[in-house]
Amino acid sequence: MSRTPWYVGTMLALALVASGCSGGDDEEEPTGLEVPDGVTLNEGGTELDLGESATVAYPEDAEDATALTVTVTAVDTGDIADFSLFSLSEEDAASSPRYVRVTVVNEGPGTPGTTSLPIFAHTDDRTLLTANSIVGSFEPCPPTPVPADLEAGEEIEQCLVYLLPADRQVESIDLQVTDAASAIRWTVPAPEDTPAPEE
């Protein structure tokens, strides 16, 4: 599978289906959104640490927008052995999984209107990977879609699966509501260097 510097997804036969990605245009946040009292939207391009929250208008359509507070709480490295019961392509079988834990709170006044948010794994070769949604149960990273009718005040916890080439690392997790330049980014710490073995 060829890789591009933008949206890249993988298809895991029978068990995983690549989620759709949200295309971006240059529109600013919806002018018709009545932001609830006490809620402040983050500016595009905001950079955060894991565990910090960002609030965005979503979707970008002015009539349907609601304020969502998104928190990327953790990025865990999985084991491809976790997928032993799945039918994998040769390329997928050589990949390195990442499990991204996300919390989404609907601040109101509307509903998300979708079951997945445009959240990408931004790798160190400037590639954006889409999450793979899992059909059925998956204990290491339980699939939980965002309810399209998530009401104001409700919260959902998600775990998103990304399959990276074994030689790649995740630099950030990007929430891209409009375009890449205005993405909200959670910086992922580089893995600690492995000490050289003693002679």
Side-chain angles (χ1 to χ4, degrees):
M1 179 181 69
S2 63
R3 297 188 178 274
T4 71
W6 293 108
Y7 308 110
V8 180
T10 52
M11 177 72 74
L12 305 190
L14 301 182
L16 299 182
V17 289
S19 64
C21 59
S22 172
D25 56 31
D26 295 329
E27 293 181 2
E28 297 181 355
E29 70 186 44
T31 56
L33 172 64
E34 294 184 8
V35 180
D37 291 341
V39 174
T40 301
L41 300 182
N42 286 80
E43 294 183 0
T46 297
E47 296 189 3
L48 302 169
D49 293 327
L50 297 181
E52 294 183 327
S53 300
T55 302
V56 297
Y58 190 86
E60 54 189 308
D61 182 271
E63 295 182 358
D64 299 328
T66 193
L68 296 180
T69 296
V70 180
T71 309
V72 178
T73 59
V75 178
D76 301 323
T77 301
D79 191 324
I80 199 62
D82 295 341
F83 298 84
S84 60
L85 299 180
F86 297 97
S87 178
L88 303 178
S89 68
E90 183 176 347
E91 183 178 25
D92 291 334
S95 64
S96 177
R98 296 294 188 277
Y99 304 144
V100 177
R101 322 284 173 171
V102 179
T103 300
V104 180
V105 179
N106 184 12
E107 307 288 357
T111 57
T114 184
T115 57
S116 62
L117 299 179
I119 298 176
F120 302 91
H122 191 153
T123 66
D124 53 1
D125 65 346
R126 301 182 66 183
T127 297
L128 294 181
L129 301 179
T130 59
N132 290 88
S133 57
I134 296 180
V135 177
S137 61
F138 186 59
E139 185 176 349
C141 189
T144 306
V146 176
D149 58 353
L150 187 72
E151 295 183 358
E154 291 187 340
E155 174 181 318
I156 188 74
E157 293 183 358
Q158 287 191 295
C159 187
L160 305 176
V161 175
Y162 299 85
L163 296 182
L164 276 67
D167 60 346
R168 299 265 67 93
Q169 297 294 334
V170 177
E171 288 194 340
S172 66
I173 302 299
D174 295 5
L175 173 60
Q176 187 172 311
V177 176
T178 54
D179 55 25
S182 60
I184 306 292
R185 295 184 175 87
W186 285 265
T187 301
V188 178
E192 296 181 0
D193 294 333
T194 303
E198 296 182 3
E199 297 182 358

